[in-house]
Amino acid sequence: GESVGLHLPTLSVQEGDNSIINCAYSNSASDYFIWYKQESGKGPQFIIDIRSNMDKRQGQRVTVLLNKTVKHLSLQIAATQPGDSAVYFCAESGNSGGSNYKLTFGKGTLLTVNP
Amino acid sequence: DAGITQSPRHKVTETGTPVTLRCHQTENHRYMYWYRQDPGHGLRLIHYSYGVKDTDKGEVSDGYSVSRSKTEDFLLTLESATSSQTSVYFCAILGRSNTGELFFGEGSRLTVL
């Protein structure tokens, strides 16, 4: 899994399997979380987000789970495809919409999907 | 596509020279950001802007300055580049939805020799 302070972890899965990418955050005041996907040579792209008043949110083939008790966030990708191969970042914010709005990013997890 | 353009996309320069990276957006977004990305560090915020002439520091602002004289342009300047500033620089804007999602440019790769 991913956590601030660690080197880039890697996850290798077989095509068609489910993937789970983890992220630990340290700021208990964070109220908004996002997962980004970054393909080689490109900028990060939004995947899914969740607010702190929720513990689960589903998108198309992706689910984000939030456990505020242990400050843990996870991204689940169903039926992983080769196109899902990328670096995945979690990001957190403690002031969504405020005048000093900014995101703090984790270091990322490299997902490799084997055909 | 949030209409973000970064320039230059690639630059090689020598230690001690000034460098300016430009971020241009076409959709009148208020918030703009500069991040740097390095292996083992992920994305780290350098500076951000919440309006014309309104800027603030991020976590790695030393050695960088920014300017926002008009809504569409956010400039990042390295007054005297150092090898430690070799990195990939990403500009981002805050989308208009209340989700807090950032949209990123394609990045500018800077090498300081």
Side-chain angles (χ1 to χ4, degrees), chain A residues 6-8 32 34 36 38 41-46 49 51 57 87 89 96-108, chain B residues 9 30-31 33 35 37 40-45 48 50 56-59 90 94 98-107 109:
Chain A
L6 298 179
H7 294 294
L8 184 68
Y32 179 62
I34 307 181
Y36 282 85
Q38 186 177 25
K42 296 185 178 181
Q45 289 188 303
F46 171 89
D49 60 357
R51 295 201 177 277
R57 191 168 186 214
V87 177
F89 293 96
S96 57
S99 62
N100 61 342
Y101 179 77
K102 49 190 174 182
L103 288 178
T104 300
F105 285 80
K107 289 182 171 50
Chain B
R9 294 291 313 280
R30 178 182 173 192
Y31 288 83
Y33 305 80
Y35 284 86
Q37 185 172 35
H41 292 279
L43 288 150
R44 293 181 291 174
L45 181 64
Y48 66 103
Y50 47 95
D56 204 351
K57 296 179 179 180
E59 61 179 308
F90 286 98
L94 180 64
N98 64 357
T99 63
E101 176 186 354
L102 296 188
F103 294 89
F104 286 84
E106 292 297 293
R109 181 175 294 276

Side-chain angles (χ1 to χ4, degrees), chain B residues 65-109:
Chain B
S65 62
V66 290
S67 66
R68 183 116 179 256
S69 59
K70 47 186 177 179
T71 300
E72 57 265 36
D73 288 324
F74 191 32
L75 304 181
L76 177 70
T77 297
L78 292 66
E79 298 292 347
S80 178
T82 67
S83 58
S84 64
Q85 293 175 311
T86 292
S87 186
V88 180
Y89 292 85
F90 286 98
C91 174
I93 58 95
L94 180 64
R96 285 201 176 80
S97 70
N98 64 357
T99 63
E101 176 186 354
L102 296 188
F103 294 89
F104 286 84
E106 292 297 293
S108 296
R109 181 175 294 276

